[in-house]
Amino acid sequence: LLKFLLNSVYGVKPKYYYYSLKDGNLPKKPTALLVIGDDAFKLLSSRQFPFKYDLAQEWFNLFKLPFVFAVWVARADSFKRKRKEVLSFCRKLLTSRDIGENSHEEICSEYGKRLGISPSRCREYLENLNFHLGEREIKSMQRFSEVVNLPFSVKFLPACP
């Protein structure tokens, strides 16, 4: 997504380097960073980078569709061979998702402090995450595959009982 936005939307063709904040091997004065997860929250208040962009928001601004960063998938042959196990795992994922979606207060209370963000900012962030794959999300995945010129195909397994 970042490469598409920089190249096709903003006309920028930077050199990309891969670093890890956890490993502490960043250059002393990087021009720009793509930061995800907890590290993104930690850098939000940094004055070193005055411009901050949410990639999902940039995608939405262009196409009025939510960006899908991840999906859980099972290969068709795995589903055929281990149907019971795949469905059991699927149910566990859905249960975990539901618990998380109903635990924003607890999550923000515990992790907000660690990340240096207020409980209200934490709740706002969590409430804007979507853990459901619907028509708009599929349309967005199709659109992404078109703009980056990659094949896209989706076949749905039966819903987890």
Side-chain angles (χ1 to χ4, degrees):
L1 176 58
L2 177 65
K3 286 181 179 181
F4 163 73
L5 290 170
L6 290 177
N7 295 341
S8 301
V9 177
Y10 300 111
V12 177
K13 298 191 185 299
K15 291 181 182 177
Y16 294 95
Y17 301 95
Y18 297 90
Y19 300 100
S20 169
L21 288 176
K22 288 175 182 57
D23 294 342
N25 64 351
L26 287 177
K28 291 195 188 295
K29 292 190 177 189
T31 305
L33 298 172
L34 167 64
V35 187
I36 62 171
D38 293 354
D39 292 331
F41 282 114
K42 291 174 185 173
L43 284 180
L44 271 177
S45 60
S46 169
R47 294 181 185 196
Q48 182 179 0
F49 302 100
F51 301 101
K52 298 167 180 81
Y53 299 93
D54 180 321
L55 295 182
Q57 186 64 53
E58 295 297 307
W59 177 263
F60 185 83
N61 292 344
L62 287 170
F63 300 109
K64 303 298 183 234
L65 292 167
F67 191 77
V68 178
F69 285 98
V71 295
W72 183 75
V73 298
R75 291 187 354 208
D77 63 326
S78 295
F79 184 71
K80 286 178 186 172
R81 281 186 290 114
K82 301 209 175 218
R83 179 183 179 100
K84 183 178 172 184
E85 292 87 346
V86 170
L87 290 175
S88 172
F89 185 68
C90 180
R91 284 190 295 276
K92 289 175 185 177
L93 283 174
L94 293 177
T95 298
S96 178
R97 176 203 63 195
D98 294 343
I99 291 169
E101 287 182 329
N102 292 307
S103 303
H104 291 176
E105 288 301 321
E106 296 90 341
I107 293 168
C108 291
S109 175
E110 183 166 342
Y111 292 100
K113 291 175 191 170
R114 290 186 200 176
L115 299 174
I117 60 173
S118 69
S120 62
R121 175 76 173 108
C122 179
R123 279 191 304 279
E124 177 188 347
Y125 172 76
L126 291 176
E127 288 168 3
N128 282 301
L129 295 178
N130 177 14
F131 295 97
H132 302 267
L133 187 63
E135 288 181 32
R136 296 187 75 236
E137 290 77 17
I138 294 168
K139 185 175 179 180
S140 182
M141 291 174 13
Q142 289 171 324
R143 183 70 180 123
F144 181 74
S145 71
E146 291 167 6
V147 299
V148 297
N149 200 26
L150 290 172
F152 177 79
S153 139
V154 64
K155 294 178 186 172
F156 287 98
L157 301 175
C160 299

